[in-house]
Amino acid sequence: MGRTPTPVTTPESLTFRSDVTVELVKSSASDADVLFAARVSTAGEQSLDELKKDPERSKGLINFLMRDRHGSPFEHNSMTFFISAPIFVFREFMRHRVGWSYNEESGRYRELQPVFYVPGPDRKLVQEGRPGKYVFVEGTPAQHEAVSGALRESYEQAYTAYQKMLADGVAREVARAALPVGLYSSMYATCNARSLMHFLGLRTQHELAKVPSFPQREIEMVGEKMEAEWAGLMPLTHAAFNANGRVAP
């Protein structure tokens, strides 16, 4: 039997987005996790008592650990996020390897959906200055229109080529080569608080940061959403992170 032809997608059926989504799907993370891990060095088995105490009473210890960069107590926790974002975001994201685990949807095993990134009107478009010393400024309405039109046209052509190859019986893993990095993908990312703080220190801009960072806006959007979830789980640790310059311990 021959393969059932894949119906060719029309331009009207493509979806264009300018957002990212982050969902905390599973977690085992609290400020108490930091405290029992830290106190085992002096209290041994009695450090388990920290699990029954109010972490608020020991926020000074958390701040001390953060300030003096005693990092390992911040690793005894776990958070798993489900993230939807353009592929180019994930290629930056996966440069973070220590303390992270990833599983992303596969273009080898499923037909990739026609969802593509187009910058929203608030996305700064123009880079001014030289490498290492530049800023982004607002684009003009004409530039935004040009970017949107060019990307949409490119996406439509790429996805039409992709579906034509599938309809001709070409393997998904080959046909996907036609698709751009503006295509949306999804992945699970699991980390601990220490690895997340390192990510946030590099991938977000913040007025409290001792070390300036200049992330691409789209990955910063992901970082901001992850940080909001983490702050709810470990508020004392998050406050100490901010109070000490947003430098990972």
Side-chain angles (χ1 to χ4, degrees):
M1 294 179 62
R3 177 172 174 171
T4 302
T6 299
V8 176
T9 298
T10 61
E12 293 76 18
S13 62
L14 272 64
T15 299
F16 302 108
R17 294 173 51 184
S18 61
D19 67 325
V20 299
T21 59
V22 175
E23 180 183 357
L24 179 67
V25 297
K26 185 174 67 171
S27 66
S28 175
S30 71
D31 293 314
D33 298 333
V34 180
L35 297 172
F36 77 74
R39 288 207 162 112
V40 71
S41 61
T42 57
E45 67 276 6
Q46 294 179 5
S47 60
L48 290 171
D49 294 340
E50 294 299 326
L51 293 171
K52 304 172 186 177
K53 295 180 180 178
D54 180 5
E56 183 73 27
R57 297 171 55 189
S58 298
K59 62 182 180 182
L61 174 57
I62 292 176
N63 189 72
F64 162 76
L65 296 169
M66 191 77 68
R67 185 194 69 209
D68 285 15
R69 305 192 71 182
H70 296 289
S72 58
F74 297 100
E75 297 176 4
H76 295 268
N77 55 82
S78 177
M79 294 163 279
T80 298
F81 299 92
F82 183 72
I83 303 167
S84 177
I87 287 175
F88 67 80
V89 170
F90 290 165
R91 296 305 163 262
E92 282 197 336
F93 205 126
M94 291 175 182
R95 293 174 66 90
H96 297 265
R97 299 181 297 277
V98 178
W100 288 90
S101 298
Y102 303 108
N103 280 93
E104 185 182 353
E105 68 175 283
S106 173
R108 297 185 67 192
Y109 304 124
R110 66 169 304 198
E111 182 176 334
L112 298 172
Q113 299 304 299
V115 182
F116 296 94
Y117 175 76
V118 175
D122 58 341
R123 185 19 165 129
K124 295 179 179 179
L125 295 183
V126 180
Q127 179 178 323
E128 294 183 346
R130 57 183 172 79
K133 191 176 181 181
Y134 60 84
V135 295
F136 279 88
V137 299
E138 303 291 344
T140 66
Q143 287 172 323
H144 277 280
E145 185 176 348
V147 169
S148 178
L151 287 177
R152 287 170 184 258
E153 181 181 358
S154 175
Y155 293 153
E156 289 165 5
Q157 292 176 353
Y159 201 77
T160 297
Y162 171 67
Q163 288 217 308
K164 185 178 185 306
M165 284 187 279
L166 294 181
D168 290 342
V170 175
R172 287 183 291 265
E173 66 183 52
V174 176
R176 65 177 173 171
L179 296 173
V181 293
L183 182 78
Y184 272 73
S185 186
S186 59
M187 73 171 180
Y188 289 101
T190 299
C191 63
N192 58 57
R194 189 183 192 184
S195 54
L196 180 57
M197 284 186 278
H198 183 261
F199 175 88
L200 295 174
L202 291 173
R203 301 299 181 179
T204 60
Q205 286 187 316
H206 199 283
E207 60 183 4
L208 297 176
K210 287 182 180 178
V211 181
S213 182
F214 305 96
Q216 184 163 340
R217 177 55 189 155
E218 289 77 12
I219 197 170
E220 183 179 36
M221 290 159 58
V222 173
E224 289 169 349
K225 291 179 180 293
M226 296 175 73
E227 182 171 359
E229 296 286 358
W230 169 57
L233 295 171
M234 303 178 71
L236 300 181
T237 302
H238 180 253
F241 176 57
N242 280 330
N244 288 279
R246 293 176 66 86
V247 176

